[in-house]
Amino acid sequence: QHNENSYYDDADTSCGAQWSRTILRFIHEPLTNAMLVVSGMSARNPKRTVAFVIFFSFAMLVLGLLTNFNVDVDEDTLWSPRRSRPMDHLDWVDNKSGFPREPRFLFMNVHIDGANVLATAGVERVFEAVDAVRNLPGYDEVCLKGTATKKSSDGSTTPTCNLFAATSFWGDDASNFDADNLTDEETLAAMSVSTYPDGTAVDIESVIGTPTYGDENILTSARIFLIRFDLPETDEALEFEELVLETMFDMQDDWNADSSNPYKLEVFAERSFSDEFTRAIVIDIPLVPLVFVVMSIFTCVVFFRKDYVKSKMILGFGAVVSVFLSIMTGYGLLFLCGIPFTSMTQILPFIMFGIGMDDAFIISGSFYRTDPNKPIEARVEETIRDVGVSIILTTTTSAVAFGLGCISSIPA
């Protein structure tokens, strides 16, 4: 006798036959029965099923957003391997040692695409960039927690931010530079000294890139002016950096628009990397509804028939909506589990649309092959028996594969 649930006779005791019967008994049959129960309830109560799925999807997403939602764009946590010694050491230095925190850097460069920048006009551009930062609202307040000091007219000292720039040759004061009314040769000579006006030794490579010297150790050329501000590691400094970047980008545009100005300005702050990640995420978000629209049009075209009775355009659109609801549920579950929203989790909708629509076409194809004269419940049961286990197993393998990715040492 042949068992209808097995591809082999029960009397066949070969290893392959026993393995096949084991898979059918402990995997295929339980999965099929479970899916038949769920699909049967859905087929008998379609309105309640649709309402429950919509409510559950929105509820999961809202709960996730209201609890643990977090956008992570920190390059240290995204791209540094977990449990790495450098990260442990950095955590100890920053949070446990009690040492002063490393300052936040703010770099600016003034250049002429590799040409010589050493001229009076170049120093004027450096002063313009430096003063633009120092004159911004909040600079003095932010630098009250700086590590450097400056002397007031009454001889007292106040904290300030460290500044490394060619402006130091004139005491970081534009009025001193303007008062000298220097020629290019005099400017080069003033920058060739070994100490600044306050007696500090000059580290020429911290303010000028690739300097060259001529006779009597006088500067003759350099490719770039280097500017660096050391800001304190505070929340106020983080917000101030955003204002600096906006101001410098505007200045950059003004310099580029001035045809008589050969100098160009580049700026890079400690928050620049995170800002670019945030910008990329924000720019890509509109792609999700775009994919929804494109997939909706595609499925409607696929399910369209000239015969209005047989046309299933609404069914195709419903398939896209169901995938979209599953994406909402998935994001809600991620946020509830404390997984941050990153540039990597952002690609989730594109993957799920591909996998979900593939399953939708398989299910609809199997459903259309059933006898249209049978009740809907019976046709749904036949469809699940035909493709249900295949879909659940392929979905499970995809979930396991992505789940194994969670053990990767790279958090992103």
Side-chain angles (χ1 to χ4, degrees):
Q1 295 180 348
H2 185 273
N3 188 336
E4 64 178 0
N5 292 324
S6 175
Y7 294 110
Y8 299 90
D9 287 334
D10 290 337
D12 189 349
T13 59
S14 65
C15 180
Q18 293 185 40
W19 175 257
S20 178
R21 286 194 292 269
T22 300
I23 294 298
L24 291 171
R25 182 177 299 112
F26 294 104
I27 297 181
H28 189 281
E29 292 180 7
L31 287 177
T32 301
N33 292 335
M35 294 183 68
L36 286 174
V37 171
V38 175
S39 61
M41 292 176 58
S42 301
R44 289 189 295 271
N45 305 279
K47 293 182 179 180
R48 292 182 179 179
T49 301
V50 171
F52 172 77
V53 170
I54 293 175
F55 172 79
F56 181 77
S57 300
F58 276 93
M60 287 292 291
L61 181 62
V62 171
L63 286 175
L65 291 173
L66 295 179
T67 52
N68 297 323
F69 175 71
N70 176 42
V71 179
D72 191 352
V73 292
D74 185 354
E75 65 274 15
D76 288 337
T77 59
L78 284 177
W79 305 113
S80 300
R82 295 188 182 95
R83 298 177 295 277
S84 63
R85 286 186 177 182
M87 291 302 297
D88 290 341
H89 295 167
L90 179 63
D91 177 65
W92 183 86
V93 170
D94 286 345
N95 303 317
K96 302 176 183 177
S97 66
F99 297 155
R101 296 294 297 270
E102 284 290 316
R104 301 181 63 86
F105 61 81
L106 172 63
F107 293 118
M108 293 186 290
N109 297 331
V110 177
H111 65 95
I112 316 179
D113 292 327
N116 182 24
V117 297
L118 293 186
T120 302
V123 178
E124 290 175 349
R125 291 296 180 178
V126 173
F127 266 110
E128 182 181 352
V130 168
D131 288 341
V133 174
R134 295 190 297 187
N135 293 332
L136 287 174
Y139 176 80
D140 293 333
E141 290 77 7
V142 167
C143 290
L144 285 176
K145 296 183 180 180
T147 57
T149 58
K150 65 177 180 179
K151 287 186 177 181
S152 302
S153 56
D154 59 0
S156 61
T157 59
T158 55
T160 188
C161 296
N162 263 324
L163 169 62
F164 302 89
T167 57
S168 297
F169 290 105
W170 291 270
D172 296 320
D173 191 337
S175 61
N176 293 336
F177 176 75
D178 294 336
D180 291 341
N181 195 21
L182 302 175
T183 63
D184 289 347
E185 291 76 13
E186 291 171 336
T187 299
L188 293 178
M191 297 174 63
S192 301
V193 297
S194 60
T195 59
Y196 293 120
D198 62 359
T200 305
V202 172
D203 179 9
I204 194 64
E205 292 189 352
S206 67
V207 296
I208 298 175
T210 61
T212 57
Y213 291 85
D215 297 336
E216 300 180 0
N217 205 30
I218 298 297
L219 283 167
T220 58
S221 68
R223 293 185 178 181
I224 194 169
F225 283 113
L226 305 174
I227 306 170
R228 191 187 90 198
F229 285 90
D230 285 345
L231 303 177
E233 184 63 63
T234 62
D235 293 337
E236 293 80 5
L238 178 64
E239 296 177 1
F240 179 73
E241 281 182 23
E242 183 177 9
L243 179 59
V244 171
L245 291 173
E246 293 176 358
T247 303
M248 291 300 103
F249 289 148
D250 290 339
M251 179 177 290
Q252 187 180 61
D253 293 337
D254 292 339
W255 287 16
N256 293 337
D258 185 358
S259 58
S260 63
N261 171 42
Y263 292 93
K264 297 181 179 180
L265 176 67
E266 314 296 341
V267 59
F268 180 75
E270 185 158 332
R271 64 172 294 154
S272 295
F273 191 91
S274 299
D275 285 348
E276 284 303 300
F277 254 113
T278 303
R279 184 186 63 83
I281 290 175
V282 172
I283 289 177
D284 288 346
I285 287 177
L287 293 178
V288 177
L290 178 61
V291 171
F292 177 82
V293 172
V294 172
M295 294 303 296
S296 298
I297 295 174
F298 175 73
T299 53
C300 288
V301 171
V302 170
F303 286 99
F304 173 75
R305 299 292 184 275
K306 291 184 178 181
D307 187 343
Y308 291 157
V309 176
K310 297 182 179 180
S311 183
K312 305 294 182 182
M313 293 178 63
I314 299 300
L315 176 63
F317 179 73
V320 179
V321 172
S322 66
V323 175
F324 188 76
L325 292 173
S326 69
I327 293 172
M328 294 172 57
T329 304
Y331 272 127
L333 183 60
L334 285 178
F335 300 150
L336 283 172
C337 293
I339 299 175
F341 186 79
T342 68
S343 58
M344 297 301 290
T345 56
Q346 189 178 11
I347 68 175
L348 177 65
F350 308 102
I351 298 174
M352 293 188 66
F353 265 119
I355 297 175
M357 294 311 302
D358 177 69
D359 292 341
F361 289 132
I362 293 174
I363 293 173
S364 62
S366 176
F367 182 81
Y368 289 148
R369 289 193 296 270
T370 60
D371 186 355
N373 296 319
K374 291 183 178 180
I376 292 296
E377 292 83 353
R379 297 181 68 185
V380 169
E381 179 178 343
E382 288 185 22
T383 300
I384 295 302
R385 289 188 180 279
D386 183 29
V387 300
V389 174
S390 299
I391 289 177
I392 196 67
L393 289 179
T394 55
T395 303
T396 301
T397 55
S398 298
V400 170
F402 284 108
L404 291 176
C406 293
I407 66 176
S408 169
S409 61
I410 303 298

